[in-house]
Amino acid sequence: MKVLMVCLGNICRSPMAEGIFRQKALEKGIDLHVDSCGTANYHVGEHPHPPSVKTSGKHGVDISYLIGRQFSHYDFDKFDIILTMDQSNYQNVIALAQNQDGISKVKMILNYSYPKSNMNVPDPWYGEEQGYEDVFQLLDQAADDFFIAHFDE
Ligand code: 4NP
């Protein structure tokens, strides 16, 4: 299975999601391909924002090596599931879908933990360092619920 994480800048939320999902898959011995990107191009080619790297590292998840890239409509063909961090990312991604098959791949990541709530992962970019820890906890729980939903573990 191939999963793509999407946020706005690809330097805060989606790289954390990528690192968390990849690590849990490795620990569980599940063959999961994980990538992340942003809907915007502001931070293409950059490593994740330092507080994202620091917070993830505290929990044993290394994301320092990741490099930002922008979402492309080709991603609809490359991935089975596209997980958006907030409703704005969701709208921006489905606007690029060519067909219903593409649209059906796109899901709000927190719906795994809070079904049908369409809750946003709050963007920590504008706030304090605690916001990054809050995001990590939300994504860690979402990852656990994702593996239960798709792999029964
Ligand atoms: P992210 O956070 O979407 O979680 O990566 C942001 C990073 C950068 C900006 C906005 C959000 N920005 O406007 O540059």
Side-chain angles (χ1 to χ4, degrees):
M1 185 187 284
K2 295 181 179 175
V3 184
L4 179 63
M5 310 296 178
V6 185
C7 64
L8 175 61
N10 192 211
I11 56 168
C12 298
R13 294 165 293 175
S14 63
M16 290 171 87
E18 177 180 350
I20 292 166
F21 276 57
R22 178 172 296 134
Q23 180 137 331
K24 285 189 193 280
L26 200 66
E27 286 166 5
K28 293 172 190 291
I30 290 171
D31 181 20
L32 189 75
H33 174 81
V34 194
D35 192 13
S36 70
C37 64
T39 56
N41 65 359
Y42 317 138
H43 299 283
V44 169
E46 294 178 20
H47 290 297
H49 194 41
S52 289
V53 175
K54 186 175 160 192
T55 301
S56 300
K58 257 191 231 170
H59 295 283
V61 178
D62 179 20
I63 61 167
S64 61
Y65 62 95
L66 298 177
I67 305 277
R69 73 164 177 95
Q70 189 174 21
F71 181 80
S72 149
H73 67 88
Y74 293 114
D75 289 317
F76 285 110
D77 300 324
K78 294 183 186 156
F79 293 90
D80 303 302
I81 302 181
I82 298 172
L83 298 180
T84 58
M85 300 297 129
D86 66 31
Q87 295 183 21
S88 164
N89 312 145
Y90 180 88
Q91 295 300 335
N92 288 327
V93 168
I94 64 165
L96 295 175
Q98 319 267 14
N99 52 44
Q100 194 56 43
D101 182 51
I103 290 173
S104 69
K105 292 183 176 186
V106 190
K107 298 173 195 311
M108 293 282 287
I109 193 167
L110 292 187
N111 280 359
Y112 282 100
S113 302
Y114 306 95
K116 298 183 180 165
S117 66
N118 295 332
M119 263 175 66
N120 295 332
V121 178
D123 194 338
W125 174 253
Y126 306 98
E128 305 295 319
E129 198 158 312
Q130 179 61 38
Y132 290 82
E133 177 63 26
D134 297 344
V135 166
F136 187 94
Q137 295 301 334
L138 283 169
L139 294 175
D140 193 65
Q141 184 64 54
D144 286 342
D145 295 324
F146 172 91
F147 285 106
I148 291 169
H150 291 286
F151 301 98
D152 211 19
E153 63 176 285

